[in-house]
């Protein structure tokens, strides 16, 4: 493994995938080179003076308090099991066993895991479908209000915002609906930890507000995805008293490792310090690099960039070159052959996940590559001047989650009720949830993903899926 990682790093890649730091350059740039040289020596346990993550009274408490300050929330908690651990703990703290949780259908798999662990009944909120692209868009306040009326015994609502493509929901409107009904709003802001700081440092024009500033009760941020921390490090923010903080803290210590990494916590603290001391410069440079890319990309023949609404996190760059006869999978291969590594593709769309560590130089290399790809493919289809349709199939109707289960081959599963989850990864959003019907269209899509070498969680190594008997 180390040989692969060293070889990849030596190739001088451009990273448009998580994590957001994009390598050592940003840490050296802002004065953290000494720690990078000795961080293995700093891999310690709870020695005297090191504090304890689950009873923070010293340096960890200070780090958490300062995160609360920069996010303008009541309490912040460092997470070393990623946003996934924070999501599970938040749900278990807000929803009791047997209660209902209203959850967006495009939630991350950790939400489904929490429902399973807590024996919680899911109620699915359907996001709007962006028909032209075949992807899920925002969840509307109206949809949440409808489900609350139909399920007055629900305890909480959870949804992702931004979603994987950068599309944000109206969190302020949803918070109003949720709180009027006396329920808790949890926002999975894994892909939007940076939103607060674009606004905080005067670069927020054209960017959505963060969930913390729109009334959410619990917000979980993947610091590592877009800011300057190591993979698997995140922060949970708590506002108000709708969730008992002591119950939340108890659930966190149940879910997280009893041997928390001081390296991960230190990088979280470095990220906080970097934002406090240099956030104005870092956000300005990031915003300028993005503006440069969008401006220049508009002039590349056959290239379109998804920009569907105002409530869009523009740090996610969604490219489409279908007018040149190039789908997302091929565009990804073309860019990787030039040392540029995107996050994921969906049909004709290819998503570049930018982060605080991306520079104008990264944008220049990518634009040059896209210009080359465009020039090498002179064919242009006038019918596809707009973004091409991306056809992601959706499952059949919903049923009760089966109690009796069996594995069947995917070639024999059409019409059966799924008893687990079928999850392409990335992005980690279930294609089929427990209780939904497996359709021929869905199964054909799964087969194609596996033939293309993509990971699909929920299909075992014998090509079997768990269904109800």
């Amino acid at each position: 493994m180390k040989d692969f990682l060293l070889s990849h790093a030596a190739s001088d890649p451009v990273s448009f995938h998580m994590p957001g730091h994009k390598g050592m350059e940003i840490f050296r740039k802002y004065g953290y080179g000494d720690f990078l040289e000795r961080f293995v020596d700093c891999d310690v346990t709870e020695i005297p003076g090191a504090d304890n993550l689950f009873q923070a009274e010293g340096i960890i408490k200070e780090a958490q308090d300062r995160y609360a300050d920069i996010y303008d929330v009541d309490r912040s908690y460092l997470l070393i099991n990623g946003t996934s651990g924070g999501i599970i703990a938040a749900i278990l703290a807000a929803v009791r066993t047997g209660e209902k949780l209203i959850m967006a259908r495009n939630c991350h798999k950790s939400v489904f895991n929490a429902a399973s662990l807590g024996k919680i009944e899911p109620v699915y909120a359907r996001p709007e479908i962006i028909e032209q692209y075949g992807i899920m868009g925002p969840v509307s306040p109206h949809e949440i209000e409808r489900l609350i009326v139909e399920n007055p015994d629900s305890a909480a609502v959870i949804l992702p915002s931004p979603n994987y493509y950068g599309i944000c929901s109206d969190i302020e409107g949803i918070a109003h609906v949720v709180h009027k009904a006396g329920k808790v709003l949890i926002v999975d802001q894994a892909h939007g930890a940076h939103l607060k700081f674009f606004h905080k440092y005067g670069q927020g024009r054209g960017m959505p507000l963060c969930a913390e500033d729109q009334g959410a009760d619990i917000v979980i941020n993947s610091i590592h995805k877009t800011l300057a921390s190591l993979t698997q490090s995140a922060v949970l923010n708590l506002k108000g008293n709708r969730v008992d903080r002591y119950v939340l803290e108890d659930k966190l210590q149940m879910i997280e490792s009893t041997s928390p990494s001081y390296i991960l916590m230190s990088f979280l603290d470095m990220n906080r310090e970097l934002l406090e001391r240099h956030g104005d410069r870092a956000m300005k440079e990031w915003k300028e690099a993005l503006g440069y890319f969008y401006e220049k990309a508009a002039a590349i023949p056959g290239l379109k960039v998804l920009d569907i609404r105002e409530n869009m996190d523009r740090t996610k760059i969604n490219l489409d070159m279908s007018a040149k006869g190039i789908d997302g999978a091929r565009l990804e291969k073309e860019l990787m052959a030039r040392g540029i590594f995107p996050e994921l593709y969906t049909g004709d769309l290819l998503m570049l996940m930018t982060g605080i560590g991306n520079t104008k130089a990264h944008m220049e290399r990518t634009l040059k590559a896209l210009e080359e790809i465009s020039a090498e493919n002179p064919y242009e289809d006038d019918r596809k001047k707009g973004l091409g349709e991306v056809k992601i199939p959706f499952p059949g109707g919903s049923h009760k989650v089966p109690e009796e289960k069996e594995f069947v081959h995917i070639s024999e599963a059409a019409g059966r009720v799924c008893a687990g989850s079928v999850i392409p990864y990335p992005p980690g959003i279930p294609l089929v949830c427990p209780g939904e019907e497996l359709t021929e269209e869905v199964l054909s899509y799964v087969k194609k993903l596996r033939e293309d070498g993509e990971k699909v969680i929920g299909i075992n190594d014998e090509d079997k899926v768990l269904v109800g008997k």
Side-chain angles (χ1 to χ4, degrees), residues 94-108:
V95 187
R96 293 192 292 264
T97 299
E99 288 187 326
K100 292 179 179 178
L101 171 68
I102 296 173
M103 52 187 285
R105 178 56 183 75
N106 61 333
C107 278
H108 186 261

Side-chain angles (χ1 to χ4, degrees), residues 79 82-88 90-91 103-104 106-112 157-164 167-169 171 185-193 195 210-212 216-225 234-237 427-430:
L79 304 176
T83 291
S84 296
I87 286 172
I88 294 171
I91 291 170
M103 52 187 285
N106 61 333
C107 278
H108 186 261
K109 68 173 192 150
S110 57
V111 178
F112 297 84
V157 173
I158 185 169
L159 70 156
S161 184
N163 67 14
Y164 223 116
I167 300 168
C168 294
S169 296
I171 299 300
L185 176 59
I186 305 168
V187 175
D188 169 7
Q189 197 169 255
H191 293 276
L195 294 177
C210 65
E212 288 91 345
D217 301 301
I218 299 178
V219 182
I220 308 98
N221 296 277
S222 279
I223 303 299
H224 73 91
K225 280 185 171 64
V235 167
L236 183 152
N237 289 329
I429 297 165

Side-chain angles (χ1 to χ4, degrees), residues 145-443:
E145 186 172 33
R146 178 183 71 82
L147 292 173
I148 288 175
V149 170
E150 293 177 1
N151 300 273
D153 52 342
S154 58
V157 173
I158 185 169
L159 70 156
S161 184
N163 67 14
Y164 223 116
Y165 305 96
I167 300 168
C168 294
S169 296
D170 176 6
I171 299 300
E172 184 175 9
I174 291 171
H176 175 74
V177 169
V178 172
H179 293 156
K180 183 179 178 181
K183 305 185 189 303
V184 173
L185 176 59
I186 305 168
V187 175
D188 169 7
Q189 197 169 255
H191 293 276
H194 54 283
L195 294 177
K196 175 72 177 182
F197 306 104
F198 274 99
H199 289 275
K200 197 178 191 80
Y201 294 110
Q203 304 298 322
R205 185 176 180 182
M207 294 288 285
L209 291 172
C210 65
E212 288 91 345
D213 290 345
Q214 295 189 75
D217 301 301
I218 299 178
V219 182
I220 308 98
N221 296 277
S222 279
I223 303 299
H224 73 91
K225 280 185 171 64
T226 56
L227 294 175
S229 189
L230 297 186
T231 297
Q232 203 173 305
S233 58
V235 167
L236 183 152
N237 289 329
L238 176 66
K239 292 196 77 170
N241 57 6
R242 290 185 180 87
V243 176
D244 188 319
R245 76 174 180 93
Y246 295 110
V247 174
L248 175 61
E249 290 168 9
D250 179 61
K251 301 304 181 184
L252 284 169
Q253 66 84 23
M254 289 173 61
I255 297 300
E256 295 195 275
S257 171
T258 56
S259 299
S261 167
Y262 276 83
I263 301 303
L264 293 180
M265 291 189 287
S266 294
F267 271 88
L268 280 171
D269 199 36
M270 273 194 288
N271 172 76
R272 183 271 311 160
E273 186 177 84
L274 187 158
L275 290 170
E276 284 184 339
R277 295 181 178 180
H278 310 287
D280 50 352
R281 176 184 173 186
M283 293 298 118
K284 183 174 185 291
E285 291 180 355
W286 189 359
K287 185 74 176 289
E288 288 175 348
L290 288 167
Y292 175 80
F293 182 92
Y294 280 106
E295 178 186 355
K296 299 298 182 183
I300 298 176
L303 179 67
K304 296 292 181 182
V305 182
L306 185 153
D307 192 8
I308 60 172
R309 58 185 66 240
E310 291 182 5
N311 210 21
M312 184 90 184
D313 173 13
R314 289 169 59 83
T315 70
K316 315 293 186 295
I317 302 174
N318 295 276
L319 304 177
D320 177 77
M321 206 174 261
S322 60
K324 290 280 188 177
I326 300 172
D327 65 9
R330 182 180 161 198
L331 185 56
E332 180 185 56
K333 290 177 182 176
E334 294 276 6
L335 287 175
M336 288 195 299
R338 294 165 170 82
I340 298 160
F341 291 81
E343 174 67 21
L344 86 162
Y345 65 85
T346 304
D348 288 338
L349 290 178
L350 180 70
M351 194 266 278
L352 308 182
M353 182 183 288
T354 74
I356 196 171
N358 281 123
T359 64
K360 184 180 178 182
H362 296 154
M363 304 300 180
E364 289 171 338
R365 275 184 62 181
T366 306
L367 289 163
K368 182 175 184 294
L370 290 167
E371 288 167 353
E372 289 176 359
I373 295 165
S374 175
E376 291 170 6
N377 293 271
Y379 164 82
E380 193 162 342
D381 189 343
D382 288 338
R383 294 169 299 176
K384 301 197 81 173
K385 291 290 187 180
L387 287 166
E389 289 188 7
V390 182
K391 295 183 179 178
I392 305 300
F394 296 101
S398 296
H399 306 266
K400 186 176 180 180
V401 178
E403 294 184 6
E404 294 189 36
K405 308 170 185 179
E406 64 178 339
F407 279 99
V408 301
H409 196 273
I410 56 175
S411 63
E412 303 171 353
R416 303 289 293 271
V417 177
C418 190
S421 293
V422 178
I423 309 171
Y425 209 95
I429 297 165
L431 181 65
V432 187
C433 295
E436 292 182 327
E437 183 181 326
L438 291 158
T439 63
E440 286 281 8
E441 189 179 15
V442 162
L443 292 166

